[in-house]
Amino acid sequence: SVHVISRFAVAILLAAAVMTTNRAAVAEDVADTALVLAVDISQSVDETRYRLQMEGIAQALEDPEVVRVITSGPHRTILFTLVGWSDRARVLIPWTWIASASDARAVATMLRSLPVFSGDYTCVGRLMKHLGELTLEQMPGKAERIVVDVSGDGPDNCTSLSYLADVRARLLAKGATINGLPILEDGVDHEIERWNRAPGSSQLDFPLPDKSDARTLTQWYERHVMAGPGAFVITANGYDDFARAIRRKFVMEIAWPGGGAGGRVASNPQ
């Protein structure tokens, strides 16, 4: 609708204004961390769940501890972008420099004003392809490290695990660390069952997990999403728990080594 488009246009204009304003305050073209937040906007994410995710991210950016770790690195700034993903990925907030509490509040305001976007399927492989080929290539500066934060409430139902492994490897080759935030819809990590497949995919691509593969969503994220130096997974016990989980992840992902915010603790997939 015109109303939705106009709201999205306002959000993009706000983002451009923030980028222009806070970019002038950044003395270098280097950020401590380039943080890509990739949030699930597939069919299972209704408006309430969408708003819970946006509000959770906004609250995290307004948290004094998060602001402290953002400004505690050598360059005292991060680059931030928000990507919504389902059967395709779309930019919700373009790359933005965050170097102060006011910058963070401006991004939080944009998050709360975003219109609701949604898609159909849960295509993690397509997301990673988009991030590697477009998102990281469009960074407006350099970063000491790149962190991709993928959250979602289901396994990939669009592409094969071999395709997912290939595009993930290409994303890692660009220097990214990929962390996961699986969302347990009812707070319980149930065993994965056969799920609806996207049109054009075959049952061969999506057999039921065998005993050697991931049996739950958390295990699936640990095996097929998490990768790179210091990568980890934090599970949200339902959408109501998303705000707690994303705040904790922010602190762990952005904290500079020796900055006093704790280490990055998790193992990498084999």
Side-chain angles (χ1 to χ4, degrees):
S1 69
V2 174
H3 179 64
V4 169
I5 292 172
S6 64
R7 287 182 64 192
F8 185 55
V10 168
I12 292 298
L13 287 172
L14 279 170
V18 171
M19 289 181 71
T20 301
T21 301
N22 65 12
R23 186 65 198 92
V26 177
E28 304 174 72
D29 287 326
V30 183
D32 295 310
T33 303
L35 178 62
V36 180
L37 232 58
V39 296
D40 189 348
I41 57 171
S42 63
Q43 195 171 42
S44 61
V45 180
D46 59 17
E47 182 172 359
T48 298
R49 291 175 171 180
Y50 182 92
R51 292 297 175 203
L52 283 169
Q53 290 183 97
M54 297 305 116
E55 181 61 26
I57 299 166
Q59 289 179 11
L61 285 171
E62 292 171 335
D63 187 281
E65 176 68 4
V66 172
V67 173
R68 188 186 72 78
V69 296
I70 285 174
T71 58
S72 66
H75 303 287
R76 301 182 181 277
T77 184
I78 68 167
L79 275 165
F80 172 91
T81 186
L82 179 69
V83 176
W85 62 277
S86 54
D87 43 303
R88 68 185 185 92
R90 68 166 73 224
V91 177
L92 302 184
I93 293 181
W95 282 111
T96 304
W97 296 87
I98 302 178
S100 66
S102 60
D103 293 342
R105 284 194 301 270
V107 176
T109 298
M110 286 187 284
L111 284 158
R112 293 187 175 108
S113 65
L114 285 173
V116 176
F117 291 101
S118 63
D120 293 320
Y121 294 93
T122 307
C123 305
V124 185
R126 292 181 189 173
L127 165 68
M128 291 195 182
K129 184 175 188 290
H130 177 95
L131 297 180
E133 295 182 356
L134 293 173
T135 305
L136 297 190
E137 293 299 316
Q138 293 169 352
M139 280 175 54
K142 297 180 180 179
E144 298 287 352
R145 58 189 179 184
I146 299 169
V147 177
V148 172
D149 188 328
V150 180
S151 59
D153 62 15
D156 193 311
N157 57 16
C158 299
T159 53
S160 67
L161 291 178
S162 60
Y163 176 89
L164 175 56
D166 179 61
V167 292
R168 184 177 70 166
R170 280 184 264 162
L171 189 54
L172 292 174
K174 292 182 177 289
T177 289
I178 308 168
N179 298 327
L181 199 165
I183 305 169
L184 311 183
E185 292 193 65
D186 59 1
V188 178
D189 209 2
H190 295 289
E191 185 166 311
I192 292 174
E193 298 177 354
R194 195 178 300 280
W195 52 88
N196 292 328
R197 300 185 302 274
S201 63
S202 70
Q203 185 169 318
L204 183 63
D205 285 337
F206 304 105
L208 282 171
D210 59 32
K211 291 182 180 180
S212 65
D213 198 8
R215 304 297 297 177
T216 67
L217 184 61
T218 296
Q219 292 173 354
W220 195 89
Y221 264 68
E222 290 172 346
R223 174 99 28 122
H224 302 297
V225 176
M226 180 182 83
F232 63 91
V233 165
I234 291 178
T235 300
N237 295 314
Y239 280 88
D240 289 338
D241 188 44
F242 181 86
R244 175 204 62 84
I246 197 68
R247 180 203 171 279
R248 184 181 173 203
K249 284 196 75 187
F250 265 29
V251 172
M252 293 178 68
E253 289 168 334
I254 300 170
W256 199 255
R264 296 155 60 98
V265 288
S267 58
N268 294 318
Q270 298 300 314

